[in-house]
Amino acid sequence: MYFFHFDIISQILEAMKEGKQEIRLSLDLNLSCSTFQLDEEKLILNEDQVVSIDMLEGIAKVENKVFFFENAQMKPLEIRGQGYHKLVPTKGAPTLEIDGVKMHRSKDIDPFEDAKLKTKLVVTPGDILLDTCGGLGYSGIFALKAGAKKVVSFEKSKAVVTLRNANPWLKKYADHRLELTHGDVVTLIESLDGKMFNSVVHDPPRFTSATGDLYGKKFYDELFRVMRPGAKLFHYTGSPGRVKTRDRFINNTIKRLENSRFQNLEFHDNLQGIYGRKN
């Protein structure tokens, strides 16, 4: 598929206006660049597919949304229903947005780089990693890059799974070691064997009444059970208050983790999450 968004469309229309006959673009969301032919009225993708200037001008003012070109139509990568899910372009890997809230840190950091820093903290070569809330799969991908032997990743939302499967970044970097499961980790973790994992990335949606189980002691007990002695945990929390004043939400989360027997707990301001170990 070919992907388009505001910055790309602006470049194409400007090149057409200047009468250029070709343009170098990334139409796979910044994975690579290719040269495409132009004329005054269309962008030529290949001998069978062209995008008209009218089609581009029709979406030229739409920001923070990714479109894909398929069957001579430009379609947004979004899902409406139980919430509004969409892919949002960045200067690197796209990020996921749900009801206007970005699921990855993207201000001053690429979502892919953010995932790299989180996994680097806990993953060592040969690990088996539990990725509790897989999202677009970035944490799982970087665990593989860090040498993980296997990644077991869960994602509850059907909409997120659909967008993930359309994201070319997952297709480029994932391999057979990444086991993606569409299901609720809160329930499915109970069926996992004890002491399975050397590392855990727990990157849940922000705390609400609907997501509270992912921040509860019962779930933390299950995380502890499935981790091997010496295993490492990174728990993303975000930074809802001033960390310097020891935000109550973060403190309470640390206390619940302590009550579930995790040790060496510390909040990493740069990653907006808690590191811990099962000793």
Side-chain angles (χ1 to χ4, degrees):
M1 290 193 294
Y2 296 95
F3 298 89
F4 294 80
H5 53 81
F6 179 82
D7 289 341
I8 290 292
I9 295 168
S10 298
Q11 292 176 47
I12 298 169
L13 292 176
E14 183 63 25
M16 286 180 172
K17 182 179 178 181
E18 294 174 359
K20 293 183 178 179
Q21 296 183 331
E22 64 179 28
I23 185 171
R24 191 160 179 80
L25 297 168
S26 175
L27 297 185
D28 57 4
L29 297 176
N30 303 313
L31 284 169
S32 65
C33 283
S34 299
T35 300
F36 298 90
Q37 301 303 307
L38 292 170
D39 71 14
E40 294 179 354
E41 300 295 330
K42 59 183 177 289
L43 168 72
I44 302 169
L45 299 175
N46 53 52
E47 60 183 20
D48 298 318
Q49 298 186 89
V50 299
V51 182
S52 70
I53 189 172
D54 290 341
M55 184 175 291
L56 293 170
E57 288 178 339
I59 57 174
K61 295 183 179 180
V62 180
E63 299 188 52
N64 297 320
K65 188 178 291 191
V66 174
F67 295 84
F68 66 98
F69 184 73
E70 185 178 62
N71 299 325
Q73 291 184 312
M74 199 72 75
K75 304 175 184 178
L77 266 177
E78 62 182 15
I79 298 175
R80 298 177 185 269
Q82 293 184 339
Y84 175 42
H85 300 67
K86 67 176 181 177
L87 285 188
V88 175
T90 73
K91 293 182 179 180
T95 188
L96 173 67
E97 187 175 292
I98 302 176
D99 294 331
V101 179
K102 289 183 174 62
M103 296 295 108
H104 304 94
R105 292 192 302 147
S106 57
K107 183 179 181 180
D108 301 324
I109 187 170
D110 178 85
F112 218 51
E113 180 67 18
D114 184 37
K116 177 182 179 180
L117 294 174
K118 292 174 183 176
T119 53
K120 183 179 179 181
L121 186 65
V122 297
V123 177
T124 54
D127 276 6
I128 299 176
L129 170 79
L130 173 61
D131 181 21
T132 62
C133 304
L136 296 181
Y138 295 162
S139 293
I141 288 170
F142 266 110
L144 300 183
K145 284 178 167 289
K149 180 169 68 176
K150 181 179 179 180
V151 176
V152 178
S153 179
F154 294 92
E155 176 51 54
K156 178 180 179 179
S157 168
K158 182 179 179 180
V160 172
V161 170
T162 300
L163 292 175
R164 177 176 69 193
N165 290 342
N167 184 2
W169 285 72
L170 182 68
K171 295 177 183 179
K172 179 176 177 65
Y173 290 109
D175 61 37
H176 68 279
R177 294 172 293 161
L178 179 55
E179 180 182 300
L180 299 169
T181 298
H182 177 203
D184 185 356
V185 69
V186 171
T187 302
L188 295 177
I189 195 172
E190 297 176 4
S191 65
L192 298 178
D193 293 337
K195 301 179 181 179
M196 281 185 63
F197 300 100
N198 312 93
S199 48
V200 174
V201 172
H202 182 42
D203 192 356
R206 65 178 179 175
F207 181 87
T208 66
S209 58
T211 63
D213 287 346
L214 290 165
Y215 294 83
K217 183 179 181 300
K218 180 179 178 182
F219 183 70
Y220 294 162
D221 286 344
E222 286 295 316
L223 286 180
F224 190 88
R225 180 184 67 81
V226 300
M227 292 170 66
R228 295 176 180 175
K232 303 173 185 177
L233 165 73
F234 177 76
H235 180 350
Y236 178 77
T237 60
S239 185
R242 290 182 61 82
V243 177
K244 292 181 180 179
T245 62
R246 300 297 295 174
D247 176 82
R248 185 172 64 179
F249 173 78
I250 294 169
N251 278 342
N252 288 340
T253 302
I254 289 175
K255 287 179 182 178
R256 287 192 298 276
L257 288 166
E258 286 177 338
N259 289 337
S260 294
R261 294 178 289 168
F262 286 95
Q263 298 181 21
N264 305 111
L265 295 161
E266 55 184 10
F267 184 84
H268 285 237
D269 190 11
N270 63 319
L271 299 177
Q272 296 185 14
I274 300 166
Y275 167 86
R277 291 179 63 95
K278 176 179 178 177
N279 291 335

